[in-house]
Amino acid sequence: MLSLFNTLTKSQDEVTPIEPGLVKMYTCGPTVYRDAHIGNLRSYLLADWIRRILEVQGLKINHIKNITDVGHMRQEVLERGEDKVIAAALAEGKTPAEIADFYTRRFLRDEGELNIIRAMEFPKATDHIKEMVEIVVRLVENGYAYEVEGNVYFEISKFPDYGKLSGNLADADLLEAVRVEADPLKRDPRDFTLWKKAEPGRDLKWPSPWGDGFPGWHIECSAMSIKYLGKTFDIHTGGVDNIFPHHEGEMAQSEGYTQKPVVSLWTHGQHLLADGVKMSKSMGNSFILPDIEAQSIDPLAFRYLCLTARYSTRLNFTFSSLKAAQRGLLRLQNRAWEWSELPNNGDGDGEHLEDWKTRFLELANDNLNLPSALALTWEMVRSDMPGRTKLRILGEFDKVLGLSFDDVPERFRVPDEIAAMAESRLQLRKQGKYAEADAVRDDLDGAGFVVYDTKNGIRLRPKTDWEKQQEEWVSYSSSAEVPSLVNEPDEKELTIGIVACNYEDDVKRIVKSSLAWVGDRSAELVVVDNGSSDGTARWLEEAAREDSRIRVYHTDHVLGEGAAKNIVLKQSRGKTVVLLDTSVEVTGDIYGPIIDTLDDESAGITGPFGLRTDDLHHFHEGEGESGDMDAMQAYCFAFRRKRLADIGLTREVFRFYRNLDLDFSFHFKDKGLRIVANTSLPVTLHEHRVWSGLAEGERDELSRKNYRRFLDKWGDRTDLLVSNQTGV
Ligand code: AMP
Ligand code: ZN
């Protein structure tokens, strides 16, 4: 039987249902005032795999997944600046319930795409205020909670087991975690809120014995788990960030209410990371399922990817690894399809089947060792059993894996007229008309079908979205995949370098206006389409077809600004490189004056928007002055390409564009090169949409982080500043 690592006992415990034959499982579900990111989805896949493993072993499951709806605004909403999203929706006249409904539907769609089996119920927090109040009343009666001025708090010191789940036993740790909500009304700062008095003007509030208010964060899960699963149940799942304070609080509440242990087994999934840190909206490193689908990657490839790492280990998400998973999945689908077309001549393989199933379940039962179960799947696929046997075994494995192999024949079915074309090709070949047969093959290919010739004739299936996308253009997942031409000789006088991400009209404006003033100089325009999801990518492809000076590099997701710029730099072949932002419009010949300035070998960078600083803390624009500066802003940033050999590329830790220009400027200064502003360069600045598209909180956060990166490297280099050098 399945055993899982139990966060409570710190050991691997077997699932032994309290009610024989029926496992009751509660999963901390989504917060529906935003989309679930794929990290969240990883934690729902965990619950899905637990469920499937139990079900194939004959157990019934009652699986409950709650919906944390907007009624329940958590403190973190305010901290993440997400209240703006909600505020905007409310301003549009949407009700909180409509917002919650919208995101709930999107969540259920995502789960469906990932082939996650539906929970029996998706109870909503706001539908269970009554049950929450009931528990709080009882907690006060039982002496675990106290009321102060319309607020009710759980009193930690009355519950000796508090801290047992998370191991946060030392007071100092707890203080650390509750620091943010220091509240003078609490008897002990570690006490947590069960019910909060509504502040004046608050819309979302409910009546209670303590007056109008709203529930604390943890109480909803106590209320809904007990209501739907009873006072004891078997498994509770969530992500590791739920352990404290959420589940620690939930356990204290539930047990304070029932006066006995409620959950037998607490299972927590490790995080999905991106760029090495936890994926979260606030870090700006989150992706949602539609981001994956926008790259024509099958959502099930994400499911496959999650199978490659145990739930208890962190998994660093990259589009490269996702594409590898997509290729693996497609290979398995191809095999399943191939076997499904073989004649079915009975069984006789029951023995094999039981054998393989036993081996598979042993792995799955061992704390969900699905990476090994997937490896076993491949071993089975590569074995020399008959195809039909392998298909049957794969079908059994897939009850756990959940990769939908039984859908493959349907997915790969071709329309009759296409099948007829393939048949005609076969006839042509038989008649020795190979050229004509090849022409039919090309037609089939063009119509979006893959053709395989086999010794038994022809097999054909529609190309997957992924395969069609691969044919259209190459997409890079990182700058490391793009070769560097930095040490190659110059081929042009000028490289215009642009990083574009959406805002198609802005991209058109900079591409057209920058080329309009090139004159008869030999020039190239190198543009990185950085994961655009609007029409930008397609427009750039067309532009490149019409004007051979334009070269486009696509990325399969939005790379950090440093990485995207580095693709431009690596692929440039012009003697002079002019980097332009998409908010810029070129209104006259900027190139002549730029080249003149850079002809002076002491000049490293030139452009119209210089910055000066006296202390590295305040950078101010040169007040319309030309001349020596401490940094050049990225809007228009020009230098000689030969410098790159010495200076290197930009630092890719700068994911956000802000202050990357300061950092890159200082690399030039460090090599003794001057930064020369020329305010007369004819350019116009338009709205900078990357900036204006961000919420204020996000901008500040991202800017601050980048500024730190800059300071960490250059903070003690005031010797480089113009103000210090002119004095000498
Ligand atoms: P939330 O919508 O924030 O309540 O999160 C829903 C679920 O996703 C919770 O179980 C979290 O623990 C889990 N979760 C949040 N971030 C991640 C992540 N980066 N990787 C895996 N699970 C996560
Ligand atoms: Zn919960």
Side-chain angles (χ1 to χ4, degrees):
M1 186 38 65
L2 172 63
S3 62
L4 292 166
F5 180 80
N6 188 347
T7 312
L8 184 61
T9 61
K10 318 276 179 282
S11 60
Q12 194 169 313
D13 295 349
E14 189 158 298
V15 179
T16 33
I18 298 159
E19 190 181 326
L22 175 69
V23 176
K24 296 176 186 167
M25 176 160 80
Y26 185 86
T27 295
C28 265
T31 306
V32 287
Y33 48 69
R34 53 173 151 81
D35 278 316
H37 58 64
I38 56 175
N40 300 138
L41 294 173
R42 185 186 185 201
S43 74
Y44 305 125
L45 282 167
L46 161 64
D48 187 61
W49 277 312
I50 292 176
R51 175 167 172 184
R52 286 169 177 269
I53 291 168
L54 294 169
E55 281 180 343
V56 293
Q57 294 176 88
L59 290 161
K60 292 236 170 316
I61 316 288
N62 189 6
H63 185 199
I64 303 298
K65 191 176 289 174
N66 71 297
I67 301 279
T68 300
D69 52 9
V70 244
H72 245 158
M73 234 162 269
R74 294 186 195 168
Q75 181 58 28
E76 52 163 21
V77 184
L78 301 168
E79 283 162 17
R80 286 173 179 164
E82 284 170 3
D83 53 331
K84 292 211 159 192
V85 181
I86 301 166
L90 293 173
E92 272 176 38
K94 294 206 179 81
T95 64
E98 281 168 342
I99 299 167
D101 219 49
F102 174 78
Y103 286 109
T104 301
R105 265 183 277 122
R106 285 171 66 92
F107 169 72
L108 293 174
R109 186 211 72 101
D110 285 356
E111 282 213 322
E113 291 299 316
L114 288 175
N115 205 19
I116 290 176
I117 303 173
R118 285 254 181 152
M120 279 64 193
E121 304 264 4
F122 293 90
K124 286 196 295 199
T126 49
D127 289 343
H128 296 82
I129 305 290
K130 187 171 74 56
E131 287 83 351
M132 295 184 219
V133 169
E134 200 182 298
I135 293 178
V136 179
V137 167
R138 180 76 65 82
L139 286 172
V140 175
E141 282 169 13
N142 290 356
Y144 292 106
Y146 57 93
E147 187 223 337
V148 192
E149 296 175 19
N151 300 288
V152 186
Y153 301 102
F154 190 96
E155 192 165 9
I156 305 283
S157 62
K158 295 283 166 61
F159 189 78
D161 274 351
Y162 190 82
K164 211 163 115 187
L165 186 70
S166 60
N168 272 353
L169 295 167
D171 295 6
D173 283 352
L174 289 178
L175 279 173
E176 187 60 38
V178 295
R179 195 187 52 210
V180 278
E181 45 163 328
D183 176 345
L185 299 180
K186 290 179 181 175
R187 290 182 189 163
D188 180 326
R190 299 174 301 161
D191 294 349
F192 62 87
T193 307
L194 295 169
W195 185 264
K196 202 154 178 56
K197 180 185 172 141
E199 60 278 24
R202 187 186 171 94
D203 291 333
L204 293 162
K205 58 184 177 193
W206 294 267
S208 83
W210 318 282
D212 282 358
F214 58 101
W217 170 21
H218 321 309
I219 193 73
E220 67 176 75
C221 286
S222 288
M224 290 184 274
S225 63
I226 290 173
K227 171 166 178 179
Y228 291 91
L229 297 175
K231 288 186 177 171
T232 54
F233 61 93
D234 302 296
I235 304 175
H236 194 308
T237 75
V240 286
D241 60 320
N242 280 162
I243 299 174
F244 188 85
H246 185 49
H247 289 164
E248 194 69 71
E250 180 184 332
M251 196 170 107
Q253 295 159 168
S254 296
E255 299 190 359
Y257 172 67
T258 64
Q259 308 275 28
K260 56 179 190 234
V262 174
V263 178
S264 310
L265 228 158
W266 289 89
T267 303
H268 291 102
Q270 261 295 355
H271 283 144
L272 187 68
L273 314 181
D275 305 316
V277 291
K278 177 191 171 192
M279 183 175 288
S280 68
K281 184 143 191 284
S282 59
M283 279 297 293
N285 65 346
S286 67
F287 297 102
I288 59 176
L289 206 56
D291 293 331
I292 287 178
E293 293 168 288
Q295 299 301 330
S296 302
I297 295 173
D298 187 339
L300 290 176
F302 178 66
R303 188 175 176 108
Y304 184 105
L305 178 66
C306 290
L307 281 167
T308 63
R310 230 209 191 117
Y311 78 92
S312 50
T313 63
R314 297 188 291 177
L315 170 60
N316 192 44
F317 175 82
T318 62
F319 271 86
S320 309
S321 57
L322 181 64
K323 283 191 271 182
Q326 168 69 83
R327 288 190 289 271
L329 176 65
L330 185 56
R331 280 209 302 277
L332 282 180
Q333 288 170 332
N334 256 329
R335 302 306 297 273
W337 170 57
E338 180 189 331
W339 301 326
S340 74
E341 304 216 322
L342 296 173
N344 193 355
N345 35 24
D347 319 287
D349 302 304
E351 210 176 310
H352 286 304
L353 184 75
E354 285 313 312
D355 235 35
W356 283 101
K357 253 171 78 174
T358 307
R359 285 177 70 192
F360 186 93
L361 276 180
E362 253 167 39
L363 295 168
N365 278 337
D366 176 16
N367 195 23
L368 253 60
N369 188 355
L370 297 175
S372 295
L374 186 62
L376 183 76
T377 306
W378 276 105
E379 186 188 323
M380 188 278 294
V381 164
R382 293 188 177 118
S383 73
D384 52 14
M385 293 183 289
R388 272 279 165 185
T389 305
K390 292 200 260 190
L391 184 63
R392 274 188 45 218
I393 299 173
L394 185 67
E396 287 299 317
F397 288 6
D398 198 39
K399 289 178 185 162
V400 171
L401 299 174
L403 294 170
S404 271
F405 292 117
D406 50 350
D407 292 349
V408 165
E410 185 54 40
R411 265 187 192 227
F412 285 1
R413 194 185 307 286
V414 295
D416 291 346
E417 66 273 19
I418 296 294
M421 265 173 88
E423 183 55 34
S424 77
R425 174 167 175 272
L426 201 63
Q427 297 309 322
L428 289 168
R429 283 177 68 94
K430 276 186 187 153
Q431 295 158 21
K433 298 181 180 163
Y434 294 109
E436 284 167 61
D438 284 351
V440 176
R441 188 191 180 107
D442 289 347
D443 288 347
L444 284 167
D445 182 76
F449 294 86
V450 188
V451 185
Y452 299 88
D453 289 305
T454 73
K455 54 183 188 300
N456 303 324
I458 203 167
R459 286 178 44 238
L460 125 128
R461 65 165 172 83
K463 290 175 188 167
T464 60
D465 291 346
W466 161 250
E467 287 167 307
K468 285 187 207 156
Q469 169 59 46
Q470 291 299 97
E471 286 174 0
E472 233 177 332
W473 57 62
V474 187
S475 297
Y476 297 101
S477 298
S478 73
S479 74
E481 293 176 1
V482 179
S484 173
L485 308 177
V486 165
N487 292 312
E488 302 293 315
D490 296 336
E491 269 186 352
K492 306 273 188 226
E493 281 173 76
L494 210 55
T495 297
I496 300 166
I498 296 167
V499 173
C501 177
N502 297 329
Y503 306 116
E504 188 175 345
D505 290 338
D506 292 11
V507 175
K508 288 180 185 167
R509 185 180 58 215
I510 187 60
V511 168
K512 288 179 184 160
S513 69
S514 65
L515 284 173
W517 297 95
V518 161
D520 51 15
R521 297 179 188 95
S522 69
E524 60 176 10
L525 187 142
V526 177
V527 50
V528 169
D529 156 40
N530 193 13
S532 297
S533 49
D534 62 2
T536 300
R538 207 142 259 124
W539 182 80
L540 285 169
E541 281 293 313
E542 272 165 39
R545 263 196 298 278
E546 278 163 26
D547 187 334
S548 61
R549 292 174 300 180
I550 302 176
R551 283 207 317 279
V552 189
Y553 297 84
H554 299 277
T555 67
D556 57 16
H557 66 290
V558 183
L559 301 187
E561 186 71 10
K565 282 243 157 71
N566 284 348
I567 294 180
V568 172
L569 299 182
K570 282 173 150 187
Q571 285 293 309
S572 297
R573 296 298 295 273
K575 180 178 176 191
T576 299
V577 177
V578 183
L579 300 177
L580 292 168
D581 187 79
T582 51
S583 61
V584 170
E585 180 175 1
V586 180
T587 55
D589 179 19
I590 56 173
Y591 308 108
I594 283 175
I595 288 167
D596 288 347
T597 303
L598 294 176
D599 276 344
D600 175 349
E601 281 292 316
S602 72
I605 305 169
T606 185
F609 308 112
L611 292 171
R612 286 258 205 138
T613 182
D614 294 326
D615 54 6
L616 288 170
H617 291 280
H618 303 92
F619 282 81
H620 35 96
E621 304 191 355
E623 292 302 320
E625 268 179 71
S626 291
D628 278 52
M629 296 286 149
D630 291 314
M632 185 58 64
Q633 298 188 60
Y635 299 112
C636 174
F637 189 110
F639 55 92
R640 286 277 148 83
R641 195 175 70 97
K642 66 176 180 190
R643 304 289 188 201
L644 293 177
D646 200 19
I647 278 160
L649 303 173
T650 74
R651 289 201 287 147
E652 300 200 359
V653 286
F654 286 86
R655 284 194 48 84
F656 183 54
Y657 77 93
R658 204 107 196 284
N659 301 334
L660 171 63
D661 46 5
L662 298 188
D663 193 78
F664 201 40
S665 296
F666 271 66
H667 282 93
F668 282 75
K669 281 184 103 70
D670 189 37
K671 299 287 176 192
L673 294 164
R674 292 162 54 227
I675 295 173
V676 186
N678 177 357
T679 56
S680 67
L681 292 176
V683 299
T684 304
L685 275 188
H686 295 275
E687 184 185 347
H688 192 221
R689 291 186 214 273
V690 178
W691 180 253
S692 51
L694 287 172
E696 208 169 306
E698 266 176 303
R699 286 177 193 167
D700 294 347
E701 172 91 0
L702 294 168
S703 302
R704 204 168 34 242
K705 282 189 183 137
N706 273 6
Y707 182 59
R708 267 271 131 234
R709 295 186 171 110
F710 167 74
L711 265 196
D712 283 348
K713 189 165 169 76
W714 304 104
D716 55 358
R717 296 299 306 276
T718 42
D719 61 299
L720 296 175
L721 303 185
V722 175
S723 55
N724 283 338
Q725 286 160 348
T726 44
V728 185

